[in-house]
Amino acid sequence: MAVVLDLLNKDNRPRHPEKAHRPDQPVQQRKPEWIRVKAPGSPKWAETNRIVRENKLVTVCEEAGCPNIGECWEKKHATFMIMGDTCTRACAFCNVKTGLPEALDPHEPENVAKAVEKLGLEHVVITSVDRDDLADGGAQHFADVIHAIRARSPKTTIEILTPDFLRKPGALEVVVAAKPDVFNHNLETVPSKYLKVRPGARYFHSIRLLQQVKEMDPTIFTKSGIMVGLGEERNEVLQLMDDLRSADVDFMTIGQYLQPTKKHHPVIRFVTPDEFKAYETTAYAKGFLLVSSTPLTRSSHHAGEDFARLKAARLAKLG
């Protein structure tokens, strides 16, 4: 992971200027066997890398240092990150660059659509940085990307992973009207950890956002995810599950938090595979249509396969 992070820092400026002068956090030097992954570099990985570069696209796979990049790019699966590579927020867990973003690229929707077509994707995930500097938080840009993909690849299903559009009235309506197949917005952690882990966000606003999506269009699948290992208690995770179900969220993901650098929030502990399995069992009992709960689970990992399972689960529920 360290190599990927170094390659991203092309201009030698700190990726996280707000963290530069903070004291170093303890680093878990040795990861358990269950979260070690193979380094990327296969021919198919290289082909995905070439298409991403040719279309001048940003992927969260690289920017966030995802441990699954080798596996996903081998399958020509990439999560495109729109609206630039610089986020206006400074979450303690995230390795995406922070600062003042550049203006939106008007050609980006078409470039993303071209890449989706070249990769032959049956299912695509589109996420973004937070753009608190924009009046609509980037909602119209999300809609433009969805429309551009549909124009070139009408059979491709589209999953979006959005910011919270906090204090952006009318933004959510614009995105929902574009009719993505899956609307994902991550809670990231339990509410007691928000002040340290996700200080720019508001837990119950995020819950309400997910609920509103269902109210506006019940046909859209909703999804949310958290990281564990940040010091949360089990009972807090169970309450969070109840909060998501109260918002009629269909799909929950739970994965292990991994510390990007010594300036980020430390890993408090590595949650065992048995504990992840127990969370999965409990979440299904609470009524989620689909649950992914493993140490290496990430929001867009196996997204295409999961979408097929989501549709099947909904049909089974309807009888």
Side-chain angles (χ1 to χ4, degrees), residues 12 40 59 85 124 133 135 167 171 202 220 233-234 278 299 315:
N12 294 319
T59 69
D85 64 355
V124 63
D133 58 310
R167 292 183 284 274
R202 301 294 179 268
I220 295 175
E233 298 291 337
R234 176 177 169 80
S299 290
L315 287 173

Side-chain angles (χ1 to χ4, degrees), residues 97-303:
K97 184 164 62 175
T98 56
L100 182 64
E102 296 180 359
L104 294 179
D105 176 4
H107 303 294
E108 185 173 53
E110 186 61 22
N111 287 339
V112 171
K114 287 178 183 176
V116 170
E117 185 179 37
K118 287 178 182 177
L119 287 166
L121 299 182
E122 294 179 1
H123 186 83
V124 63
V125 182
I126 307 296
T127 188
S128 78
V129 290
D130 274 284
R131 291 297 303 258
D132 294 319
D133 58 310
L134 301 175
D136 69 348
Q140 186 60 56
H141 202 73
F142 259 107
D144 291 344
V145 170
I146 293 170
H147 294 316
I149 293 170
R150 288 256 159 80
R152 280 186 172 268
S153 306
K155 293 184 179 179
T156 299
T157 49
I158 301 172
E159 178 171 333
I160 58 171
L161 172 55
T162 76
D164 59 12
F165 301 119
L166 187 63
R167 292 183 284 274
K168 305 294 182 183
L172 183 62
E173 288 82 350
V174 171
V175 179
V176 173
K179 292 190 75 70
D181 296 281
V182 181
F183 189 106
N184 185 6
H185 172 64
N186 285 334
L187 295 181
E188 307 294 5
T189 188
V190 299
S192 69
K193 300 299 175 187
Y194 262 51
L195 192 58
K196 285 188 176 180
V197 175
R198 199 179 175 221
R202 301 294 179 268
Y203 177 81
F204 287 106
H205 170 81
S206 288
I207 292 287
R208 178 61 182 146
L209 183 88
L210 290 159
Q211 185 178 41
Q212 285 179 302
V213 174
K214 279 292 190 192
E215 291 172 353
M216 293 178 199
D217 190 341
T219 67
I220 295 175
F221 289 102
T222 50
K223 177 177 175 181
S224 189
I226 63 166
M227 304 165 290
V228 290
L230 286 159
E232 70 289 330
E233 298 291 337
R234 176 177 169 80
N235 66 316
E236 292 182 293
V237 176
L238 301 187
Q239 179 60 60
L240 179 145
M241 290 179 186
D242 288 337
D243 293 341
L244 286 176
R245 287 303 302 133
S246 72
D248 202 20
V249 170
D250 300 302
F251 184 5
M252 182 179 186
T253 61
I254 308 172
Q256 171 69 51
Y257 168 65
L258 298 175
Q259 183 180 3
T261 75
K262 60 188 177 182
K263 297 296 184 181
H264 286 77
H265 195 291
V267 175
I268 303 303
R269 75 183 187 97
F270 289 108
V271 178
T272 67
D274 286 346
E275 291 175 273
F276 277 103
K277 185 63 179 177
Y279 279 139
E280 177 189 291
T281 300
T282 302
Y284 273 123
K286 289 180 180 292
F288 290 97
L289 288 181
L290 194 62
V291 182
S292 179
S293 177
T294 72
L296 286 172
T297 289
R298 296 296 182 266
S299 290
S300 56
H301 194 208
H302 299 153

